[in-house]
Amino acid sequence: LYYGFGWCTWDAFYKEVSEENILKKLEEFKTKKIPVKWVMIDDGWSKLTGENLTVLRGFEADITKFPNGLGGCIKRMKEEYGIEKVGVWHAFTGCWNGVEHGSDLYEKQKQNLVKSTDGYYIPDGKKAYDFFDSWYTYLKSQGVDFVKIDAQGCTPEKIMNKDNFSKRYIDMHLAVEEAAKKHFDSNVINCMGMSNADLYFRPYTSLARNSDDFYPNKENGFETHIMQNVYNAVFHRNLFYCDFDMWWTTHINAKQSSVLRAISGGPIYVSDKIGESSEEFIAPLTDDNGRLLICDNAALPTDDCLFKDCSGDVMKIYNTVGDEGVVAIFNLSNEKKSVSVG
């Protein structure tokens, strides 16, 4: 699934994602001959309510944003633009705060929900399987091929007032894993879930976000992003394929982001806005068919950087491709640096 170049809607549209905007962006990729193979429709596509649209009202797409339904949009994406796989976002709790009490979704699923500490309703332990099985059945019927499961690590605080809350949390993980295995062959991007309970109770899914978000408008955001990804990978790569997150191809750090993803060993996908995709830093990452030139495992710090704080200094990371070694060197300072590689 992830051996092709991808695009995510999040930093392109945030919660203003819509069929119209998605198709405009795919038209741009087509015109520029940028070979996108898969798309992640991120937060904002579903029926949401509440402050900042953080409460789920239904399994279906928001009809005002997707007038032809989710399936109609995905059909056009695949048939007209050659997108091979389409995924959608959801939070581990349905949405950030959970399910709206009294909604049609609540009435249909209330036997599978539990009241959270902040007064919303979220999938409950083993019962979560029926919740996600129902949702994934719908998504599969719409042509969805995989899901991104976000906000995993913040779930325990929502059930800390419940009996056996740790077991409920673990059972919830195992439930969604079973549902994803059934419907999507375990093709999942696990996201924001780095606690031990998250890491050790994913028996089927094998890809996990390796850092906090890519923040395109955050000053010095790249330095934080590379530090998190490279040092987290020392442990995480023993358990998962590491996802270094999306990036922008016209960003001030576009070149650095491209090189980091090239050596990362994980999926490579961008989140460019309409009109803002540049082939310059995409073309070196793929072959002529749009398949990624990918390293074998997750990139690691070189030995001399492993126990050193490389912020504001030189960061060296390495990976392999078959019998060959690959090294990338990043200057995280504002000064010229001399460096040797042995």
CSV table of all heavy atoms in Angstrom, one decimal, residues 74 182 256 314:
chain,number,residue,atom,x,y,z
A,74,ILE,N,-14.8,8.9,-3.8
A,74,ILE,CA,-13.7,7.9,-4.0
A,74,ILE,C,-13.8,7.3,-5.4
A,74,ILE,O,-12.7,7.0,-6.0
A,74,ILE,CB,-13.8,6.9,-2.9
A,74,ILE,CG1,-13.5,7.5,-1.5
A,74,ILE,CG2,-12.9,5.7,-3.2
A,74,ILE,CD1,-13.7,6.6,-0.3
A,182,LYS,N,-10.2,-7.5,9.7
A,182,LYS,CA,-11.4,-8.1,9.0
A,182,LYS,C,-11.7,-7.3,7.7
A,182,LYS,O,-11.9,-7.9,6.6
A,182,LYS,CB,-12.6,-8.1,9.9
A,182,LYS,CG,-13.9,-8.6,9.2
A,182,LYS,CD,-15.1,-8.5,10.1
A,182,LYS,CE,-16.4,-8.9,9.4
A,182,LYS,NZ,-17.5,-8.8,10.3
A,256,GLN,N,15.1,19.6,3.0
A,256,GLN,CA,15.4,18.8,4.2
A,256,GLN,C,14.3,17.7,4.4
A,256,GLN,O,14.7,16.6,4.8
A,256,GLN,CB,15.6,19.7,5.4
A,256,GLN,CG,16.8,20.6,5.4
A,256,GLN,CD,16.4,22.0,4.9
A,256,GLN,OE1,15.6,22.1,4.0
A,256,GLN,NE2,17.0,23.0,5.5
A,314,VAL,N,25.1,19.4,14.1
A,314,VAL,CA,25.0,18.5,12.9
A,314,VAL,C,24.3,17.1,13.3
A,314,VAL,O,24.7,16.6,14.3
A,314,VAL,CB,26.3,18.2,12.3
A,314,VAL,CG1,26.3,17.1,11.2
A,314,VAL,CG2,26.9,19.5,11.7
